[in-house]
Amino acid sequence: MAREFSKDIYNSQRWRKVAHAYAESQHYVCERCHNRSFVGTGKPPRFIVHHKQHLSPENVGDDNVVYGWDNLELLCIYCHNAVHGAGLDRECLFDDDGNPIGIVDHSR
Ligand SMILES: [Zn+2]
Ligand SMILES: [Zn+2]
């Protein structure tokens, strides 16, 4: 199933800014397991800013859903996988310094 509707958002400066600011506000600690042991290990991506209410073609026009902090959650990659199971959407990953480094597309 195509997820193109969310691609532009996840690639946008606006989203990256919001995601970065949100991750910073959480001090890069996973909101579920409070794991931050990935930091400084030099291992690949570890945190994902997750949309609690997943983006869909119906809600991508709603700024509160897409950019509202109430709908965001900072998760480590393990908790994120647990949340998604088979995986649903593209989201934003951060390096140790909190810089957005890419998009995970777990719809594939
Ligand atoms: Zn976690
Ligand atoms: Zn997610």
Side-chain angles (χ1 to χ4, degrees):
M1 188 167 60
R3 291 275 166 191
E4 293 306 306
F5 66 88
S6 60
K7 194 173 160 195
D8 287 349
I9 289 171
Y10 288 128
N11 282 324
S12 73
Q13 284 301 320
R14 185 179 180 188
W15 163 249
R16 289 178 180 218
K17 253 185 160 163
V18 167
H20 189 180
Y22 183 77
E24 209 148 65
S25 79
Q26 298 300 323
H27 309 289
Y28 303 101
V29 175
C30 174
E31 290 186 56
R32 299 208 178 197
C33 69
H34 304 121
N35 188 351
R36 58 171 304 163
S37 61
F38 302 98
V39 173
T41 61
K43 295 218 177 102
R46 43 234 81 160
F47 291 110
I48 294 165
V49 176
H50 166 72
H51 283 99
K52 291 182 200 165
Q53 183 186 331
H54 286 287
L55 300 188
S56 70
E58 290 72 45
N59 68 19
V60 284
D62 187 337
D63 277 9
N64 290 328
V65 172
V66 178
Y67 303 109
W69 283 19
D70 285 352
N71 193 38
L72 301 181
E73 195 172 18
L74 185 69
L75 299 177
C76 72
I77 202 147
Y78 297 120
C79 289
H80 191 252
N81 285 346
V83 168
H84 279 284
L88 287 168
D89 53 12
R90 297 160 179 270
E91 286 166 289
C92 198
L93 296 163
F94 296 90
D95 66 17
D96 286 348
D97 297 323
N99 299 308
I101 55 176
I103 307 297
V104 60
D105 179 359
H106 37 113
S107 63
R108 278 180 288 191

